[in-house]
Amino acid sequence: MDHDRQGPPLPSARGPVSAAVEEYLLGAGPLPRPEAVAGADVYGDDLQLALYLCYELHYRGFAAVSPDHEWDPGLLRTRAALEHRFLSALRTDTPVHDSVEDALAGLLVEPVDGTGISHFLSKEGELWQVREYAAQRSLYHLKEADPHAWVLPRLWGRAKAGMAAVEFDEFGGGRPDRVHARLFANLMIDLGLDTTYGHYLEAACAEMLATVNLMSLLGLHRSLRGALVGHFAAVEITSSPGSRRLAEAMRRTGAGPAAEHFYDEHVEADAVHEQVVRHDVIGGLLAEEPHLTPDVTFGIDVTGQVEDRLADRLLHDWRAGRSSLRTAQHSEIPHIS
């Protein structure tokens, strides 16, 4: 059976919590005890991998893991405990603007001397760093827009129509060759990376897991629909300028035409999406449910929080001349320029 159809293999555990979750999924042991979950570093590899494993059951699952585990009551209780710790930490650690308008205004200001990942890669990044960035991001981009699609049944009217319109574009506008996940796979081929779904889960850092876990957390809970809309807005509004810089990085490092095309496509598409998201998705949602305003604001700001943590991790490693991936044997990405 094709690997992409049956799901990737379970990755190596990163601590007692993720080990217990994996053993349970394989029918080889009990779920982690509550005190183990309570004692795990909320942003660390062990807790984030355990949560990622729980969420992935709602996407493509894992090889040798029964699809029935998706709605296993005991596993859902464990997932809820992991989610509670993660969401509580994010609410505590995220500075939140006073209003949606202020949060959106902050996204629209481009700093003169930007210091984020796209700035680094466009100006001085080497090809091996571009490849690592793509490997890390593949955890999301090979299922691009899927986490956001969970919110569609929770919206109606103008918000639903606007969200569906943007998602339609993300899924290729009816053309399978233009599905953004397919375009990212083409980018990975240009970079000599393995395009198998979930291949780089083993290598991805905890900060990358957290960015994907945040999307799944917000998407899978109706009570967090406002925060999901805020997250989606933050992604779409910041995508166009960031993609322009990443397209420059692809050209400067000779990544290849498909790699350039992926980000060129996002420069144009997401500039249009920004207007739809701001006026129709956010505007429509808050016209119907104004009480969700604080949630939308939180969703915008928490997106920046987790992305900044990821940027800090990658740039810290790269500026020290080392890989951002977990181990050399897992990275399979030689330092080439």
Side-chain angles (χ1 to χ4, degrees):
M1 183 181 292
D2 182 80
H3 187 150
D4 273 16
R5 293 179 185 274
Q6 67 174 344
L10 286 169
S12 302
R14 303 187 188 183
V17 178
S18 55
V21 170
E22 292 197 359
E23 290 172 4
Y24 185 81
L25 291 174
L26 296 173
L31 286 162
R33 295 179 63 82
E35 55 266 30
V37 173
D41 176 3
V42 70
Y43 295 118
D45 281 292
D46 191 26
L47 187 144
Q48 290 299 324
L49 178 60
L51 189 52
Y52 190 97
L53 296 173
C54 293
Y55 285 144
E56 192 58 32
L57 299 175
H58 298 288
Y59 297 100
R60 299 196 198 180
F62 294 97
V65 173
S66 169
D68 292 339
H69 279 302
E70 180 179 5
W71 300 110
D72 181 282
L75 191 61
L76 290 176
R77 284 192 293 270
T78 295
R79 194 190 89 184
L82 295 166
E83 287 177 326
H84 176 73
R85 291 213 57 217
F86 186 38
L87 184 57
S88 295
L90 291 172
R91 290 196 184 280
T92 298
D93 298 339
T94 303
V96 178
H97 285 85
D98 293 332
S99 67
V100 170
E101 292 74 17
D102 288 345
L104 291 174
L107 297 178
L108 296 171
V109 176
E110 276 283 287
V112 176
D113 298 314
T115 57
I117 294 177
S118 63
H119 291 88
F120 174 86
L121 290 176
S122 68
K123 295 175 183 176
E124 57 184 297
E126 299 179 27
L127 184 56
W128 69 268
Q129 294 162 330
V130 168
R131 297 178 81 204
E132 283 198 3
Y133 182 69
Q136 297 266 17
R137 285 290 188 186
S138 69
L139 269 64
Y140 167 62
H141 282 302
L142 289 181
K143 61 181 174 215
E144 183 170 341
D146 289 351
H148 299 119
W150 295 113
V151 82
L152 282 168
R154 288 89 185 259
L155 303 176
W156 60 89
R158 185 156 54 102
K160 190 186 195 85
M163 190 78 186
V166 175
E167 289 282 274
F168 183 65
D169 284 349
E170 300 284 349
F171 294 136
R175 293 178 52 184
D177 59 308
R178 294 187 61 82
V179 173
H180 284 192
R182 177 68 258 173
L183 297 181
F184 192 80
N186 294 340
L187 170 150
M188 296 180 73
I189 292 171
D190 266 4
L191 292 171
L193 300 174
D194 192 314
T195 63
T196 305
Y197 182 87
H199 179 78
Y200 292 102
L201 174 57
E202 189 78 63
C205 62
E207 291 80 3
M208 185 63 228
L209 298 181
T211 67
V212 184
N213 284 341
L214 174 64
M215 300 182 207
S216 298
L217 167 65
L218 301 181
L220 285 167
H221 289 270
R222 187 174 66 86
S223 62
L224 296 172
R225 63 194 179 281
L228 187 283
V229 165
H231 179 282
F232 190 64
V235 170
E236 294 298 322
I237 290 171
T238 58
S239 176
S240 187
S243 293
R244 184 176 294 106
R245 289 188 289 269
L246 290 169
E248 293 169 0
M250 299 300 147
R251 279 186 275 273
R252 190 178 58 77
T253 59
E260 295 173 19
H261 176 68
F262 177 80
Y263 288 109
D264 284 336
E265 170 76 9
H266 281 69
V267 171
E268 180 178 350
D270 291 341
V272 176
H273 293 172
E274 173 196 336
Q275 298 301 314
V276 176
V277 172
R278 290 178 65 195
H279 297 295
D280 293 333
V281 183
I282 292 180
L285 175 67
L286 296 184
E288 296 278 357
E289 300 187 274
H291 63 281
L292 293 180
T293 297
D295 289 346
V296 175
T297 307
F298 171 71
I300 295 169
D301 289 327
V302 75
T303 304
Q305 175 78 0
V306 296
E307 289 290 345
D308 286 348
R309 288 181 62 87
L310 175 62
D312 289 346
R313 167 64 185 271
L314 269 58
L315 294 176
H316 179 75
D317 286 337
W318 291 344
R319 287 178 174 139
R322 61 176 176 261
S323 172
S324 68
L325 300 172
R326 294 185 61 243
T327 64
Q329 61 264 39
H330 288 156
S331 73
E332 302 175 9
I333 301 176
H335 288 206
I336 60 176
S337 59

